[in-house]
Amino acid sequence: MKSFLQRFVPILLFVVLCSFAVHKFYVAIYQVNYEPKKKELQITTRIFIDDLEKALETRFHKKIYLATSKEIPQTDDLIKSYLSEKFRISVNSSSKSLKFLGKETEDNVLICYLTTPVLEKINTISIHNSVLTETYDEQQNIVHFKVNGNKKTVLMTDSEPDGQVEF
């Protein structure tokens, strides 16, 4: 009986502990607000630091050390380049160039701030968001829009990186 318990208990413990393994979610949140007084779209991204770091290191073949004391000086330029390639926005079918204003960290999330001028009345916003989808097939990018009091949300994935909202 003692031999049975010595064999069975470790196996049972292993099975129980494995059943509680943490499942990693791959999600990023984007907020796109229209500021009528400034006539611009203000965009805030919230991306997990470790996920973005892996994508940047794969894309640029450099160790980044994102959000640490060893972060390389070119990090902002690499983020700008990466986001301009993976995150594009059009207003009324007119492509907009995004200006990277800066970044900050909050716990394990990197928050990036971008803006683009919009002088015309907004009827539609089209967006391409493939941020992190080349690194994580399960990546989901949730984009919230707020334009003139109207709120809309679009979910973007590797298989559906493009979306459009109408106002």
Side-chain angles (χ1 to χ4, degrees):
M1 180 70 171
K2 189 175 183 179
S3 175
F4 173 75
L5 287 177
Q6 286 177 334
R7 290 182 184 173
F8 180 71
V9 170
I11 292 170
L12 180 63
L13 186 61
F14 176 78
V15 171
V16 169
L17 290 176
C18 286
S19 68
F20 291 109
V22 176
H23 180 263
K24 176 104 164 118
F25 291 94
Y26 298 100
V27 66
I29 307 291
Y30 302 78
Q31 182 67 48
V32 179
N33 293 335
Y34 177 64
E35 180 56 52
K37 290 180 183 174
K38 294 184 177 182
K39 294 192 178 285
E40 67 183 13
L41 286 178
Q42 298 173 342
I43 302 156
T44 305
T45 72
R46 292 180 170 275
I47 306 170
F48 285 109
I49 292 170
D50 58 337
D51 296 342
L52 182 59
E53 181 176 52
K54 183 175 180 182
L56 292 173
E57 289 175 356
T58 300
R59 169 75 175 82
F60 297 108
H61 310 289
K62 292 182 179 190
K63 190 74 177 145
I64 308 292
Y65 302 104
L66 192 56
T68 70
S69 60
K70 297 193 303 186
E71 182 175 293
I72 64 171
Q74 305 88 359
T75 301
D76 282 3
D77 291 333
L78 298 177
I79 292 172
K80 284 184 224 179
S81 177
Y82 180 77
L83 289 177
S84 68
E85 175 186 329
K86 300 289 184 176
F87 185 87
R88 295 184 302 273
I89 197 162
S90 297
V91 175
N92 303 334
S93 300
S94 175
S95 182
K96 298 292 181 181
S97 60
L98 298 174
K99 179 180 179 184
F100 181 84
L101 299 176
K103 67 180 181 356
E104 65 179 334
T105 59
E106 183 177 282
D107 298 322
N108 59 346
V109 174
L110 186 75
I111 304 168
C112 297
Y113 301 98
L114 305 114
T115 188
T116 188
V118 177
L119 304 176
E120 67 271 21
K121 179 182 182 280
I122 298 174
N123 296 315
T124 61
I125 298 178
S126 301
I127 194 160
H128 173 86
N129 189 340
S130 60
V131 173
L132 302 179
T133 59
E134 77 286 359
T135 305
Y136 303 104
D137 293 337
E138 309 87 11
Q139 177 68 31
Q140 296 182 344
N141 295 315
I142 302 169
V143 184
H144 299 291
F145 297 89
K146 186 176 177 188
V147 175
N148 299 325
N150 296 313
K151 296 179 181 180
K152 309 243 176 161
T153 298
V154 176
L155 173 66
M156 304 171 128
T157 62
D158 183 39
S159 61
E160 293 186 35
D162 299 302
Q164 181 172 316
V165 291
E166 295 181 11
F167 296 97

